[in-house]
Amino acid sequence: MDWTYNSVAPCLLREMGATGLKPCGTLHRTCMKKTKTKDSHLLEEWDKAHLWHPFTQMKDFQAEKPIIIEEAEGVILRDIYGSEYIDGVSSMWCNIHGHRNRHIDQAVKAQLDKVAHSTMLGLSNVPAIRLAKRLVEITPKGLNKVFYSDNGSTAVEVALKMSFQYWLQMGLPEKQRFIALEHGYHGDTLGAVGVGGIKSFHELHKPLLFNTALAPSPHCYRCPLHKDKETCKLACLEKLEEILKKNCRETAALIMEPLVQGAGGMIVHPPGFLKGVRELCSKYDVLLIADEVMTGFGRTGRMFACEHEDVVPDIMCLSKGINGGYMPLAATLTTDKIYSAFLGDRGKTFYHGHTYTGHPLGCAAALASLDLFENEGVLEKLQPKIRLFNESLNRFHELKHVGDIRHIGLIAGIELVRDKKAKEEFHPGNRVGQEVVLEARSRGVFLRPLGDVIVIMPPLSITADELTRLLEIIYESIRGLESAREQYF
Ligand SMILES: *Cc1c(COP(=O)(O)O)cnc(C)c1O
């Protein structure tokens, strides 16, 4: 690629770039070297003129200086001005082996030389077949069938429609409803929103949604049953059993994020909850859908969250980390029993599919990612990093505004509170989480909070040194709140 020196655009120094909005207006050698295109300075304008960003209040976005990523390597993201940021959230929870991993790059390039895409409707393709076989081998025993789609939400749509139609074809058409957990998140298409449990995301579109029964989330820091974690004996499971008992006749499936509810605030479930849910679903003849879109592929320290409690769901949804975060790809896995219920005349067909289902490039990247897990001992090498992560996170308890630290594997959510003892939240208008991530950004770390929960989820490939630096910067950024403006307090 040509390096075109940018001689007109005012550059933004890293120190002032992120939070201060003043362009320095002079030419810096590093910026000249790294700015590739003549129109870098225009990109910000065009972004604001033409882009509508997801999950973003565009009025706020318009007022901020956007960071525009041009390239990346390992855990480092680099913007058009050459400023670097540690990717503290794995590019929205999907990157696994770092950016521009050579092995995956190579696999995608090799696949490009064969075919980029051909349809799965009536045809098959080589990487999709190979990947299906590998996925069956590594997921919990019994999940033998792979239905592809292209993102986490569609993986969930497939699971919902599949479970409804399964019961219909088993002669139980009254099983039409779903049970989900409060604070749950399963994607943004209407079906997925219909089983969502996050008020701020899901309440507004309620008139468009089906009627889901929500069970309490085992959110121990803010227990909905006002119990104490040490003595509760998982009372939330009793509550769930009541709901199942009452609704099982018309319930097709229960859907949950196993072990940790991501978008709901990184709510890590107490041991035994997942296993308990599995037992209850079997007892009441309700399918269990494990949405491992976030937890899958090593994020929790094991390949899948279900492994922590030896749970085999009836349906499992995979996406984000499936190909190391390279391309849109998802899979919904299920059992022979469910698959068999769709065999027969045309009327039993599962009429669902997306144009880019089983995309060869995405599947090739996924195969390369699984090779890395196997050949490079990714999960083994992860264990000492998780220990370091745990130890480093401990120190955050010292901080005045850290209410709760929830973590498992290389996932953490740090909940910031105004008053620790009372667990009192900050006023949402103060955007304290956002304040912290902007501070971290100015120190070279990219994060995206969930309200006042600071999410930390680096690629599994992060080195011990990078991890230490990442956590130090976050620590300092949170500590900065203590001397922040009066208005918060
Ligand atoms: C991100 C996520 C989804 C949705 O995936 P998309 O690819 O963004 O549609 C579904 N379930 C869980 C648990 C997720 O974290």
Side-chain angles (χ1 to χ4, degrees), residues 11 19 24 67 76 86 107 129 156-157 159 163 198 257 276 280 284 289 333 348 363 368 375 379 392 409 433 464 477:
C11 92
T19 41
C24 70
I67 294 183
I76 304 295
I86 300 178
I129 297 171
V156 167
E157 297 288 341
S163 34
I198 303 176
E257 297 155 89
L280 288 174
Y284 291 94
I289 303 170
L333 279 80
K348 288 193 170 178
C363 292
N375 304 334
L379 291 178
S392 315
S477 304

Side-chain angles (χ1 to χ4, degrees), residues 370-385:
L370 293 181
D371 284 345
L372 290 170
F373 270 104
E374 224 173 277
N375 304 334
E376 313 254 306
V378 169
L379 291 178
E380 292 75 21
K381 285 183 190 155
L382 186 60
Q383 305 313 315
K385 289 186 239 181

Side-chain angles (χ1 to χ4, degrees), residues 461-475:
S461 63
I462 194 168
T463 64
D465 284 348
E466 289 165 336
L467 187 59
T468 302
R469 179 161 169 69
L470 169 68
L471 290 165
E472 267 171 20
I473 288 174
I474 297 171
Y475 182 93

Side-chain angles (χ1 to χ4, degrees), residues 92-93 150-156 185-189 192 256-258 260-263 291-295 317 319-320 329-330:
M92 210 56 232
W93 316 351
D150 45 26
N151 64 72
S153 307
T154 53
V156 167
Y185 176 82
H186 302 287
D188 295 324
T189 50
M256 72 184 288
E257 297 155 89
V260 39
Q261 293 180 280
D291 177 356
E292 291 240 18
V293 169
M294 180 198 78
T295 48
C317 304
S319 186
K320 290 193 171 101
L329 182 72

Side-chain angles (χ1 to χ4, degrees), residues 268-290:
V268 178
H269 296 170
F273 183 77
L274 175 58
K275 188 141 194 103
V277 174
R278 169 70 276 185
E279 284 162 8
L280 288 174
C281 284
S282 301
K283 183 171 168 189
Y284 291 94
D285 222 9
V286 160
L287 300 178
L288 173 62
I289 303 170

Side-chain angles (χ1 to χ4, degrees), residues 238-256:
E238 278 170 37
K239 194 82 194 156
L240 175 63
E241 179 155 17
E242 278 172 34
I243 293 172
L244 274 164
K245 208 179 256 173
K246 193 164 149 236
N247 299 290
C248 62
R249 284 164 115 257
E250 62 265 27
T251 298
L254 180 151
I255 182 166
M256 72 184 288

